[in-house]
Amino acid sequence: MISQIFILSSKGDHLIYKDCILTAGFLCDLMSGLHFIHARQGGLYWVASTKTNPSPFTIIEFLNRLAALTKDYCGSLSEKSVRMNFALIYELLDEMVDFGYIQTTSTDILKNFIQTEAVSSKPFSLFDLSNVGLFGAETQQSKVAPSVAASRPIMSSRGEQGGKNEIFVDVIERLSVVIGSKGVLMKADIHGEIKIKCFLPSCSEMRIGLNEELSIGKSQLKGYSSAVRVDECRFHQAVKLDEFDTFRILKVCPSQGEQTVMQYQLCDELPCAPPFQLFPSVEKDYVNRSVNLSMVLIFLKLRCDLPPKSTALNVSITVPVPKGSTSMSQELSSPDQTAELQPKNKALLWEIPRFPGGAQLSALFKVDVPGLSSASLLEVGPVSMSFELPKQTCTGLQIRFLRLSPTQTGLSQRWVRYVTHSDSYTIRI
Amino acid sequence: MPYFGSEEMVKELKRALSNPNVQADRLRYKNYITKVIRYMTQGLDVSALFMDMVKASATVDIAQKKLVYLYMCTYASDKPDLALLAINTLRKDCADPNPMVRGLALRNMCNFRMPGMTEYIEQPIVAGLRDKASYVRRVAVLGCAKMHSLQPNTDIDGTIVNELYALLRDPDPVVVVNCLRALEEILKDEGGVVINKPIAHHLLNRMKDLDSWAQSEVLTFLLRYRPRSDDELFDILSLLDSFLQSAHAHVAVATLRLFLQLASAHPAVQADALLCTSAPLLATCGAASRELRFAGLCHVQQVMRSQPGLFGTHYKRFFCGYSEPTYIKFRKMEILVELVNDENVALVLEELRSYCTDVSPELAQAAIAAIGRIAQTYSEKCLDILTGLLALKQDHITSAVIQMFRDLVWFCPQSTAAVCQTVEACVDSPQDSEALLWLLGEHGDQISSAPYVMEGYIDGLKTELSSAVKMELLTASVKMFLCRPAETQDMLGRLLHYCIEEESDVCVRDRALLCYRLLQRGVEETRKVVTGPKSDPSMSVLTGRQEEPISQWASTFNTLGPLSGCDLCPQTAVISAADQPSSSAEKELLPESTDVTLSSPDDTEEEISLSLGPPLSHETFEKMWLDLEILQRQTMGFPRPRTALDTLQAALQLVKIQTLAFTPGATVPWKAYIYTRSTGTLILAELLQGDQHAPGIDESLVVSVKQQPVNQHAIRGFVSILKGVLQTLNVDSS
C-alpha cells in the first residue's frame, strides 16, 4: 500500500506530490516507520513512500510503469514536460491509484478517463523544417520516420500531427561483453526486447512475423543453417502464441502507448563476432630520467567488425590511467574525434561520433605521469566502451512482416526500427 | 519562485476567478484554475480561494471538475465549514447519469478529511456498492475503507462487511481485489480479511482475469490460506505453476513466495519452484532499470542462503558492468564470492582483480576483501593477486591488502610463510598500522626486517593519534621481544617509557603498565600470557556458510527485508554502542563488588531467563568472538549427545539458545557455536569435544563462554540451563 507518490526533479524539487492516505499531519508523526522507494527515469526521481512492508518488485515496477505512462501521455520525459503537464499527471495518478492501491495501469482503460490534453514541449527545430518539401511536396526524406516521431503524446486528437496513424515496432538489444586480454571473448550476454509504440486510436489484431529459423533454448538447434537462437524469451500476457511454435508469429492487439511485447536473452554466446576489437599497447617512456619526468604511451587500434554498410554511432572509449596523471597529448586520425583526460576519474575519454563497419581507427595517447613505477602500468585498463548500433541486432532477430488485420480502417504507417546499445562493453588489457 | 509576495498572487487570482468576464470564457477560467493548482503543488497556500473554487466545481467540463476536486481534497480539512458547501454539488454528481462523473464525485467526497463526514458519505457509498457501473463499484468499495479510516475507533458495520464479502464474487476483477483491500483495512484489528476455502478457490480461479498488480496482491493474500490436504495443496500449486514464469517479475516472485510457504513440508517442490523462478530472477538482475536490478540481486542473495548452487553456472551474469552504480557492484561482488568453485575460480579472480584499481576507493577495497574471502579456500592464486596489488603503492589498496593478509594468516596457517615473505618485501611503506603490527608481532620470527619497521613506528609515536594503534604496538613489541630480544630490547624500553610517562590516554598507559609488570615477572611468565594461538583454522566453520533451511528466510522474501540487507547490523551496532560504556565502567569501578554479590546465596536461586532476540549474522558473531575474552570455561563431565544435530538444535532452541554453526557429524574435534540473550547481555559460547591441546578429557564436552557486557550471574544461569538440556538429550539417546 502506497502512502505518497512524488515526482522529484534531479535537484529534489517537488514536481508532483500526491498523498494517498488521508491522514492530516501524517508525515510528521510517522516519518520513522516510513520506507521510501524510488526509481530513476528520464533524469527524474519517481518516489513512493509506504508504511507497510510491500513487495519491492511491485513498487519499483509500478513506478517504472508510471514513468512510461507519463512518457506516453506527455510525449517525452523531462522536468519541463512534467511541469507543463502536471494537471494531466495528477489526473493519471488519480485514476491509477486510489487510497494507495494500484487500480489500473492499462492505457486502454485509462484513455476513457483522461480528459486533459497534453501540452507538448517541442522546441522549434530546423530539422523539422528539413522534412517539409517545397510547397508541401513529398520529399525523399519523408519516407524515413524522423527520430522524434515516436516522442509525441499518444492522445492528441486535435493536433495536425495526431492525425497520423502510426505504429512503431522497435527491436532493442543491450549488449554486455567482457573481452579478455588476448582478445578472447569471456562473457557475452544479450538482453533484447521488442517494443510496440502505437498511436492508432483503436487497433485490431496485429501479426508480427519473426525469423522463421528462430530457435529457443539450447536443445532446439535446427539443422546447420545459421539459425537465430535465443536462450529464453517471455511475452506480454496479451500476446497470443498459437502460431508462434510453427510459424514464429506473434499475435497481439496493441493498446495505445508503449508496451514490451517480448523479452529475450542470449547468454555466453554471440552469433556474430563482437562489434569491436581493440589492439592496445601500453609502454612506459622516460622523457627525462634525471628529474623523473615519465609518461605512459598508450597506443590503441580499434577495429569495427560490423558489416561494411552499417555504422556505429556515439562510440566512446574510456581508458583508466595511472593515478597522478597530469596532462595528456594525443594523435587522433581524424578531426571529428575528441579525446580528453579526466583526472577526477583517473581516465581518458576518446570519442568517435561515427565509426563505419570494417574500418580501423588508431590513436596514440601520451600521458604524463610524474613518478611512474613499472607497477603503475597495471592501472591502465580495463577499457570500457559505449556505443549505439542502429539498424543492427546482434542476435540476428528480424521482423519479417508486420500485418494489421484487413478490417483496419484508414491509412496507417508502420515502422520497424532496430538498435543495439552497449550495456557494458569491457576489454581487458 | 512565488514564495515571496504570495499574498499578492492569491489576491490577483481571487480577483480573476470572481470576474464575470473570466467566468464566461471557459478557457480562460480553466487556465486560472490550473494556475491555482500549480501554486498548490509548489507549496503555496491558496486556501483563501476556497469559495471561488467551490463555485468552479459546478461545471460540465470533467477535466475542470477533476482539478477543482483535487483542490478541495487538499484544503477540506483546513476549511471544514466551507467544504460543507461543496458537498451538495458532490452529492448531486453522485446521481449523475454518467458513471464517470458518479465515480469521480464519490471518490473525492470520500477523500475529504474532516470530522462528521461519515454521515454525508455513507448513503452514497452504499448506493455505489450496488451501482451497475463497475467503475463506481470500485470507488465505492474503497470508499468503505476510507470511511472506516475517518473514524477508526467506531464499531465495525457488519452489514457493510457482509456486503463486501459478497462483492468478492463481482464480475469485475478490480472490484474483487478492492474488496480484499477494503476488508483488510476494516478488519485490521481482527487479523484482516478471512481467506477460507471457498474464497481461496474463487480467487485462484479468477487469477487469469486479473491484471499483474492484482495478481501479485492476491498471491500475497493467499499466503494466509492453509490447504487442508496434500491433494488440495498440489491442485493449488499446479494452478499457479504458469505464474512462476510470468513476464512480470513481481508476479513471478510473489508466486515463488507462495510456493515456498505452502510447500514448506515438501522440500522437493520448493526446489523445483526455485529452479523455475531462477530464470525470471536472473532476468531482473539484468533488467534495464537499475532499481529492479538491485532488488533482483538482493533476492538472489537470499535464495543462495539455502541453495548456493542454483546460480553457479550463471556466475558471469554477476560480473559488474562499468557504468553500474556502486550499490549494485557491491552486491554483485558478494554474490560472486559465494559462487566460486574449482572451475570458475580463475575467471572470477581475474574479474575481481580488474575492480581493484577502480577509481572509487570503497569499491577497490570491497574487491580486495572479496579476493581475501576467496583466499580462505584458494589461497595460492589469491596471494599472487594480492601481492601484485601491493606494487601499486596506493594507500587504500595496501591497507586493504594487509588486512586481508592478517585474516588469511589467522584462518589458513599454511599460507603464513608466503604472507610473511610478501610483507617483508612491502613494509617499506607501512600503511594499515593495526593489521601490519599484528602480523609483525605474531610472526616476527619469520619477517627479518620486522624490528626495524617497528622501530619506525616507535620513533614516530609522538605523532600517532590512534590509541588502538598504540596498544597494538605495545602488544606487538612485547611479542617481538620474546622471539628476538636482542634487537628489540632497546626500543621496547623506549616505548614503555614513553607510554607510561608521557601518554595521556589511560587505556594505552594501562596497557603499557601491564606489559611492564608482566616483563618484571620474567620472560616465561610473559610468554604464557602474551602468546596465544597463532591461528584458528576451525574458526572457518563460522565463515563457511552453511545451507540454511528455506523457512529461515521465506517469510521475508519479496518484502523490503532483503533490500535493507544488513538489517541485522544496526541492531548489533546499537548493542555495542549502548553497552560498551557501561561494561567498561563496571570493569573499572566494581571489579570486586560483582564477585561479592555473586557469592550471596539467595542470588543463585533466582531464575534466569534467556531470550533469543534479533538473530546474529555469522560475521557479527565472528567479530565479537574474536574481540571478547573467555569468561568461563567449564568441563561438562559428559560427552556430547549422540542425537542428530537437528534434534540438538531444536532442543537448544526450546530453551532459547540459538545455534549458529557446528561441525558436521562425527568429526574430531567437534565444535558448535551458540548464543543467547539474557537481561541485557549477549552470551556467546563454544562447545568443544576432543580438544587436541587437552587429550586427557577427550570424551568430555568443554564449554567456553564469552559475554558482553559481563554478568556472571547470567553466565551461571546459562551454563546450568545448557547442562540440563544436554544431559536430558544424553539420557534420551542412551
Side-chain angles (χ1 to χ4, degrees):
Chain A
M1 179 173 176
I2 298 166
S3 304
Q4 296 149 311
I5 294 173
F6 306 84
I7 302 176
L8 306 177
S9 73
S10 54
K11 283 177 251 149
D13 298 336
H14 285 198
L15 302 179
I16 299 284
Y17 163 62
K18 185 177 161 72
D19 189 354
C20 309
I21 298 251
L22 318 155
T23 333
F26 163 74
L27 249 187
C28 326
D29 53 296
L30 282 167
M31 201 60 186
S32 55
L34 212 56
H35 298 285
F36 288 90
I37 302 173
H38 76 86
R40 214 189 148 142
Q41 293 273 341
L44 303 170
Y45 291 100
W46 307 73
V47 188
S49 77
T50 170
K51 266 195 301 175
T52 52
N53 195 0
S55 154
F57 292 101
T58 312
I59 306 279
I60 294 171
E61 286 203 48
F62 168 71
L63 291 172
N64 285 337
R65 177 72 190 143
L66 174 64
L69 273 173
T70 311
K71 191 178 167 196
D72 281 350
Y73 276 91
C74 303
S76 63
L77 214 53
S78 67
E79 188 175 332
K80 194 176 167 204
S81 70
V82 170
R83 269 190 206 281
M84 287 173 79
N85 289 298
F86 75 96
L88 173 66
I89 296 170
Y90 273 124
E91 204 180 346
L92 267 175
L93 272 175
D94 213 29
E95 299 296 342
M96 285 166 73
V97 187
D98 192 7
F99 202 43
Y101 295 110
I102 304 168
Q103 298 293 302
T104 181
T105 58
S106 130
T107 353
D108 284 336
I109 301 173
L110 283 172
K111 72 176 176 197
N112 301 321
F113 298 103
I114 303 303
Q115 305 285 330
T116 316
E117 288 255 333
V119 188
S120 66
S121 59
K122 197 177 285 175
F124 174 77
S125 155
L126 276 176
F127 286 109
D128 292 344
L129 289 180
S130 68
N131 276 334
V132 180
L134 201 55
F135 307 117
E138 285 271 300
T139 59
Q140 191 59 36
Q141 280 152 322
S142 65
K143 287 192 177 157
V144 180
S147 59
V148 290
S151 59
R152 60 184 166 93
I154 50 169
M155 301 242 305
S156 49
S157 50
R158 267 168 255 163
E160 309 84 59
Q161 268 200 329
K164 264 190 201 167
N165 281 335
E166 284 180 317
I167 187 156
F168 294 84
V169 177
D170 297 348
V171 182
I172 302 163
E173 294 190 346
R174 288 182 294 124
L175 193 62
S176 73
V177 169
V178 178
I179 296 175
S181 45
K182 293 182 186 70
V184 196
L185 193 61
M186 301 187 64
K187 171 199 164 177
D189 286 352
I190 302 169
H191 289 267
E193 54 192 12
I194 300 180
K195 272 189 178 171
I196 296 185
K197 181 141 190 174
C198 175
F199 291 102
L200 308 176
S202 66
C203 184
S204 53
E205 192 174 75
M206 186 171 79
R207 291 149 59 91
I208 306 171
L210 306 180
N211 314 38
E212 263 176 344
E213 67 273 20
L214 174 72
S215 65
I216 293 157
K218 297 219 189 288
S219 55
Q220 262 196 33
L221 277 179
K222 283 184 184 171
Y224 321 98
S225 66
S226 57
V228 177
R229 196 179 72 79
V230 297
D231 276 346
E232 50 189 272
C233 51
R234 294 181 297 155
F235 303 92
H236 192 275
Q237 63 193 90
V239 179
K240 282 188 226 118
L241 296 171
D242 47 343
E243 288 185 54
F244 184 72
D245 280 341
T246 41
F247 303 111
R248 300 296 183 212
I249 293 174
L250 304 171
K251 291 201 282 190
V252 62
C253 300
S255 45
Q256 265 186 325
E258 195 171 288
Q259 56 214 301
T260 306
V261 180
M262 174 177 162
Q263 296 174 349
Y264 55 92
Q265 47 191 347
L266 177 63
C267 296
D268 288 338
E269 191 183 338
L270 276 184
C272 52
F276 288 100
Q277 276 289 4
L278 183 75
F279 306 96
S281 81
V282 180
E283 276 169 37
K284 190 170 65 165
D285 192 14
Y286 282 102
V287 179
N288 187 338
R289 205 173 279 271
S290 57
V291 291
N292 203 9
L293 202 61
S294 48
M295 63 178 178
V296 180
L297 295 179
I298 302 174
F299 181 70
L300 300 178
K301 200 160 73 176
L302 190 64
R303 195 180 69 209
C304 179
D305 287 339
L306 292 173
K309 273 185 186 167
S310 40
T311 37
L313 297 181
N314 303 328
V315 183
S316 78
I317 300 112
T318 312
V319 188
V321 293
K323 196 183 178 187
S325 305
T326 50
S327 60
M328 181 182 82
S329 65
Q330 69 261 20
E331 290 169 22
L332 305 173
S333 53
S334 81
D336 56 342
Q337 303 171 18
T338 56
E340 61 170 333
L341 183 72
Q342 297 174 322
K344 218 178 97 209
N345 297 332
K346 287 200 307 178
L348 70 85
L349 184 70
W350 176 24
E351 283 181 324
I352 306 159
R354 266 180 82 84
F355 203 147
Q360 182 164 308
L361 293 178
S362 55
L364 177 67
F365 302 97
K366 294 178 185 164
V367 185
D368 297 319
V369 191
L372 187 73
S373 69
S374 57
S376 300
L377 293 184
L378 283 176
E379 285 185 74
V380 182
V383 176
S384 45
M385 291 181 67
S386 73
F387 50 83
E388 198 177 305
L389 310 176
K391 294 186 253 171
Q392 190 84 27
T393 55
C394 280
T395 48
L397 188 85
Q398 300 276 333
I399 290 183
R400 270 188 302 144
F401 59 82
L402 200 62
R403 272 186 214 128
L404 297 167
S405 62
T407 53
Q408 188 74 36
T409 51
L411 192 71
S412 58
Q413 283 178 301
R414 289 158 288 167
W415 306 103
V416 178
R417 306 184 292 187
Y418 301 97
V419 70
T420 299
H421 293 287
S422 63
D423 194 20
S424 159
Y425 197 92
T426 311
I427 305 165
R428 300 227 182 90
I429 290 186
Chain B
M1 287 301 283
Y3 291 109
F4 304 109
S6 61
E7 279 155 34
E8 282 302 305
M9 196 80 72
V10 171
K11 260 184 213 157
E12 202 175 295
L13 279 171
K14 198 174 177 73
R15 221 174 300 136
L17 282 173
S18 51
N19 183 346
N21 287 334
V22 175
Q23 284 175 5
D25 185 348
R26 273 178 50 191
L27 261 179
R28 259 177 86 192
Y29 196 40
K30 196 173 157 188
N31 255 341
Y32 277 110
I33 292 169
T34 319
K35 222 176 225 172
V36 173
I37 306 287
R38 175 166 301 172
Y39 289 140
M40 191 181 88
T41 313
Q42 289 169 353
L44 197 69
D45 183 16
V46 286
S47 61
L49 298 170
F50 205 94
M51 262 322 283
D52 305 283
M53 293 297 273
V54 170
K55 270 185 212 148
S57 70
T59 169
V60 283
D61 182 1
I62 296 182
Q64 183 177 331
K65 252 190 211 300
K66 285 187 177 177
L67 287 176
V68 176
Y69 287 160
L70 180 69
Y71 173 91
M72 288 204 276
C73 289
T74 317
Y75 289 113
S77 51
D78 296 346
K79 308 246 168 185
D81 40 340
L82 287 177
L84 283 179
L85 293 174
I87 284 178
N88 249 333
T89 328
L90 284 165
R91 287 187 64 143
K92 211 162 63 200
D93 279 351
C94 283
D96 197 277
N98 183 349
M100 196 165 29
V101 177
R102 286 204 300 271
L104 185 66
L106 186 57
R107 182 169 62 220
N108 285 289
M109 200 149 69
C110 297
N111 283 354
F112 277 21
R113 328 158 177 172
M114 41 189 240
M117 199 57 212
T118 330
E119 54 180 304
Y120 299 106
I121 56 176
E122 188 162 4
Q123 192 267 327
I125 285 178
V126 173
L129 287 176
R130 298 186 189 123
D131 201 291
K132 56 184 185 302
S134 61
Y135 181 67
V136 184
R137 287 201 303 274
R138 291 175 191 177
V139 172
V141 166
L142 282 183
C144 298
K146 290 178 193 168
M147 190 163 69
H148 182 74
S149 78
L150 276 175
Q151 298 180 308
N153 299 321
T154 47
D155 288 338
I156 295 163
D157 187 348
T159 48
I160 284 193
V161 171
N162 284 339
E163 195 132 352
L164 287 178
Y165 270 119
L167 273 175
L168 282 175
R169 308 260 166 203
D170 198 275
D172 184 70
V174 182
V175 173
V176 175
V177 185
N178 277 357
C179 275
L180 285 173
R181 294 158 167 168
L183 283 168
E184 179 75 11
E185 290 275 318
I186 295 173
L187 302 173
K188 200 185 272 165
D189 297 333
E190 297 170 17
V193 55
V194 179
I195 307 282
N196 57 21
K197 189 169 170 178
I199 293 181
H201 285 232
H202 170 67
L203 290 175
L204 284 166
N205 289 327
R206 292 298 302 272
M207 277 293 280
K208 289 225 158 40
D209 313 333
L210 306 176
D211 70 347
S212 69
W213 315 109
Q215 277 172 356
S216 62
E217 203 144 343
V218 166
L219 287 166
T220 317
F221 277 114
L222 283 173
L223 285 172
R224 259 178 232 176
Y225 181 62
R226 294 273 162 277
R228 303 280 161 72
S229 64
D230 271 3
D231 287 343
E232 191 191 351
L233 170 74
F234 287 116
D235 281 350
I236 293 177
L237 294 187
S238 55
L239 248 174
L240 293 176
D241 211 37
S242 60
F243 293 100
L244 282 175
Q245 296 277 9
S246 167
H248 297 278
H250 59 198
V251 178
V253 175
T255 318
L256 176 63
R257 185 178 176 194
L258 185 66
F259 263 70
L260 295 179
Q261 198 114 328
L262 286 183
S264 50
H266 304 273
V269 178
Q270 286 182 326
D272 275 353
L274 280 173
L275 194 67
C276 254
T277 336
S278 66
L281 257 184
L282 275 174
T284 56
C285 294
S289 150
R290 291 163 166 188
E291 293 80 16
L292 210 57
R293 237 187 254 191
F294 180 69
L297 287 170
C298 294
H299 283 82
V300 162
Q301 257 184 319
Q302 207 176 25
V303 170
M304 274 172 34
R305 282 162 61 179
S306 298
Q307 301 237 326
L310 192 60
F311 301 100
T313 47
H314 303 288
Y315 66 96
K316 282 186 183 171
R317 301 274 190 100
F318 302 104
F319 285 5
C320 305
Y322 78 99
S323 54
E324 280 176 328
T326 37
Y327 56 87
I328 289 183
K329 288 183 178 172
F330 280 129
R331 290 279 168 169
K332 284 193 165 174
M333 281 197 270
E334 282 170 28
I335 293 175
L336 273 179
V337 169
E338 302 277 327
L339 288 179
V340 165
N341 58 29
D342 288 349
E343 280 116 57
N344 62 26
V345 62
L347 279 173
V348 170
L349 282 176
E350 198 176 325
E351 183 71 19
L352 286 172
R353 157 75 188 79
S354 70
Y355 309 151
C356 291
T357 46
D358 197 277
V359 65
S360 141
E362 291 84 26
L363 194 73
Q365 287 180 331
I368 293 167
I371 295 178
R373 283 280 304 278
I374 297 175
Q376 291 173 18
T377 340
Y378 300 95
S379 41
E380 244 171 73
K381 291 181 186 127
C382 298
L383 268 176
D384 288 348
I385 295 180
L386 291 175
T387 313
L389 287 173
L390 282 177
L392 288 175
K393 297 202 190 309
Q394 290 191 18
D395 293 358
H396 64 277
I397 294 179
T398 317
S399 140
V401 169
I402 300 245
Q403 278 178 38
M404 284 307 114
F405 279 162
R406 178 192 56 186
D407 292 356
L408 192 61
V409 166
W410 183 253
F411 288 119
C412 315
Q414 66 273 16
S415 57
T416 310
V419 167
C420 289
Q421 234 171 10
T422 323
V423 171
E424 171 104 57
C426 80
V427 284
D428 48 324
S429 60
Q431 294 307 332
D432 181 85
S433 317
E434 263 182 273
L436 182 64
L437 285 172
W438 186 87
L439 274 173
L440 290 176
E442 208 62 63
H443 301 283
D445 47 339
Q446 295 183 49
I447 305 171
S448 61
S449 63
Y452 310 106
V453 178
M454 214 169 274
E455 187 155 26
Y457 273 104
I458 291 170
D459 291 341
L461 200 60
K462 287 203 176 78
T463 52
E464 178 63 59
L465 294 173
S466 150
S467 57
V469 170
K470 288 179 190 165
M471 304 223 284
E472 190 63 56
L473 182 60
L474 277 166
T475 318
S477 318
V478 173
K479 284 182 190 161
M480 178 87 78
F481 174 69
L482 294 175
C483 59
R484 300 167 74 168
E487 293 153 289
T488 326
Q489 189 174 15
D490 177 51
M491 62 188 189
L492 180 61
R494 272 188 288 143
L495 175 66
L496 286 174
H497 182 266
Y498 175 82
C499 287
I500 293 170
E501 295 294 325
E502 290 176 47
E503 178 59 46
S504 56
D505 190 305
V506 187
C507 292
V508 176
R509 196 167 160 271
D510 276 359
R511 176 76 60 97
L513 279 172
L514 174 75
C515 295
Y516 179 69
R517 284 168 193 161
L518 264 178
L519 288 166
Q520 273 184 328
R521 300 291 296 269
V523 174
E524 280 316 305
E525 286 285 312
T526 316
R527 194 184 302 278
K528 237 189 257 172
V529 174
V530 173
T531 50
K534 293 200 171 196
S535 66
D536 188 0
S538 68
M539 281 292 280
S540 57
V541 174
L542 286 176
T543 50
R545 282 253 172 117
Q546 290 182 328
E547 289 180 24
E548 288 177 39
I550 288 174
S551 58
Q552 202 113 18
W553 49 263
S555 59
T556 59
F557 193 73
N558 194 22
T559 64
L560 297 177
L563 266 69
S564 46
C566 46
D567 48 352
L568 310 170
C569 296
Q571 283 164 352
T572 44
V574 168
I575 289 174
S576 52
D579 294 343
Q580 212 87 42
S582 69
S583 71
S584 59
E586 241 175 16
K587 266 186 224 159
E588 276 165 27
L589 298 175
L590 316 155
E592 275 109 87
S593 61
T594 40
D595 278 346
V596 174
T597 46
L598 279 176
S599 54
S600 66
D602 47 285
D603 202 42
T604 42
E605 281 162 28
E606 195 187 310
E607 266 302 306
I608 159 141
S609 66
L610 302 179
S611 61
L612 284 176
L616 282 185
S617 69
H618 284 80
E619 288 80 10
T620 339
F621 186 95
E622 183 193 336
K623 191 170 174 306
M624 293 178 93
W625 186 258
L626 291 175
D627 287 347
L628 296 174
E629 307 282 323
I630 290 184
L631 289 173
Q632 186 166 356
R633 179 172 296 209
Q634 191 173 347
T635 309
M636 287 295 193
F638 49 82
R640 75 180 172 94
R642 290 284 158 203
T643 49
L645 293 169
D646 294 348
T647 328
L648 177 64
Q649 201 169 357
L652 288 173
Q653 190 106 44
L654 212 59
V655 291
K656 304 276 166 52
I657 298 175
Q658 185 72 45
T659 320
L660 189 83
F662 44 71
T663 42
T667 39
V668 175
W670 181 84
K671 269 189 182 186
Y673 289 93
I674 54 183
Y675 66 91
T676 185
R677 287 187 172 77
S678 166
T679 53
T681 80
L682 179 66
I683 303 175
L684 312 177
E686 178 202 61
L687 300 177
L688 172 69
Q689 180 165 13
D691 190 356
Q692 319 79 319
H693 304 304
I697 44 168
D698 202 307
E699 272 308 295
S700 182
L701 202 56
V702 178
V703 57
S704 323
V705 186
K706 301 187 178 188
Q707 193 186 32
Q708 184 189 27
V710 182
N711 177 350
Q712 284 290 343
H713 172 56
I715 290 194
R716 272 182 295 142
F718 165 74
V719 171
S720 74
I721 289 175
L722 182 66
K723 209 169 183 173
V725 175
L726 294 174
Q727 262 168 340
T728 325
L729 281 176
N730 264 338
V731 171
D732 283 355
S733 59
S734 64

